[in-house]
Structures are given as structure tokens and as C-alpha cells.
Amino acid sequence: GKLTNEEFNEIKKHAAKGGEIIKETFKDIDDKEFLIIAYECARFHHEKYNGKGYPEGLKEDEIPLHARIMAIADVFDAVSAKRCYRDALPLETCFKIIEEGRGTDFDPNLVDLFLENKDEVISIYNENK
């Protein structure tokens, strides 16, 4: 069933906690740029382009580019994969969800690029089923 507000607030902690786990786990890595990108992808992949995401309510270009890219990939993966509570959605529906989030959930320029490369996305999806 639908999550309660308390349950959803608990789930929302995963982005910030994931970022902290990455920061701590890879603190001794030589490639500091990799560490920063991994941390920011984990921490900010649920920020929304319109500022209504979490954990910090960042908007537009305040969200690191790699996290804006990850947001699209994360949602596409989530809706195109079978979950314990539902079957995978048809790919056309998955693309429609990304398109409908253009400018609100997702960076509009990145959505355009994603949709322009739909055939390649489908090919990669099929290779990794």
C-alpha cells in the first residue's frame, strides 16, 4: 500500500545517508574528483529541477549536473524494472514518465537529450535485461 508520511520521511533519508556512506567508504581514494561525483550523485539524485526534491530542495543548476543525469537514469530504471509490488512498466510508459517530468522533476535539456537517444536507451535496456 501507500507509504505513510512517517515511512516516506524515513525513506527520504537514504539519499543523504548514501552520500555519507560513499564519502566515508572512499575517503582514502586517490581520485578525489571521482569521490565528489559519486557522493553528489548519491546525495542529490532525488533533487527536483523545480526545487521540490530532497534532501536539500536544490533547484535547476544548483543540482550538480551528474546528479541531474542520475535522476533521469534512476527514475527510468525504477519504472522499467519489476519490483516486488508491481511489474515493470512498458518502455513507452517509462519514456512518457520522463517526458512528463521535463522542467519539473528533470532538467529539460537533459530530458530532450535522453529522448533524442531513445533507440540507444532501448538497445542498452534490452542488452541488460
Side-chain angles (χ1 to χ4, degrees):
K2 187 174 177 166
L3 296 174
T4 66
N5 285 341
E6 183 179 291
E7 289 169 330
F8 186 58
N9 285 333
E10 189 64 30
I11 289 214
K12 289 192 317 186
K13 294 177 183 177
H14 86 276
K17 286 183 179 182
E20 293 307 314
I21 290 168
I22 286 173
K23 197 186 289 187
E24 181 60 28
T25 303
F26 296 108
K27 67 182 176 213
D28 297 326
I29 197 169
D30 289 335
D31 188 343
K32 297 303 177 193
E33 183 178 3
F34 173 83
L35 174 60
I36 291 167
I37 290 171
Y39 166 78
E40 290 180 344
C41 280
R43 183 168 181 89
F44 301 124
H45 72 282
H46 281 292
E47 297 290 354
K48 303 291 184 198
Y49 197 72
N50 63 5
K52 295 184 179 181
Y54 61 87
E56 295 183 25
L58 302 179
K59 66 179 181 182
E60 299 176 359
D61 291 342
E62 294 171 349
I63 307 165
L65 175 60
H66 35 269
R68 285 182 273 147
I69 294 168
M70 183 60 74
I72 293 171
D74 181 57
V75 169
F76 188 83
D77 177 66
V79 297
S80 66
K82 182 176 177 9
R83 301 292 191 199
C84 62
Y85 51 88
R86 64 150 176 80
D87 286 332
L89 298 177
L91 286 184
E92 283 305 316
T93 303
C94 300
F95 283 106
K96 188 76 172 158
I97 288 168
I98 300 299
E99 184 176 17
E100 289 171 352
R102 183 184 187 281
T104 54
D105 295 340
F106 311 115
D107 181 323
N109 295 318
L110 294 176
V111 168
D112 293 347
L113 287 170
F114 184 77
L115 296 175
E116 286 169 18
N117 290 282
K118 185 175 177 180
D119 291 340
E120 187 173 354
V121 172
I122 292 170
S123 177
I124 293 167
Y125 172 86
N126 288 330
E127 287 173 14
N128 292 288
K129 280 200 312 188

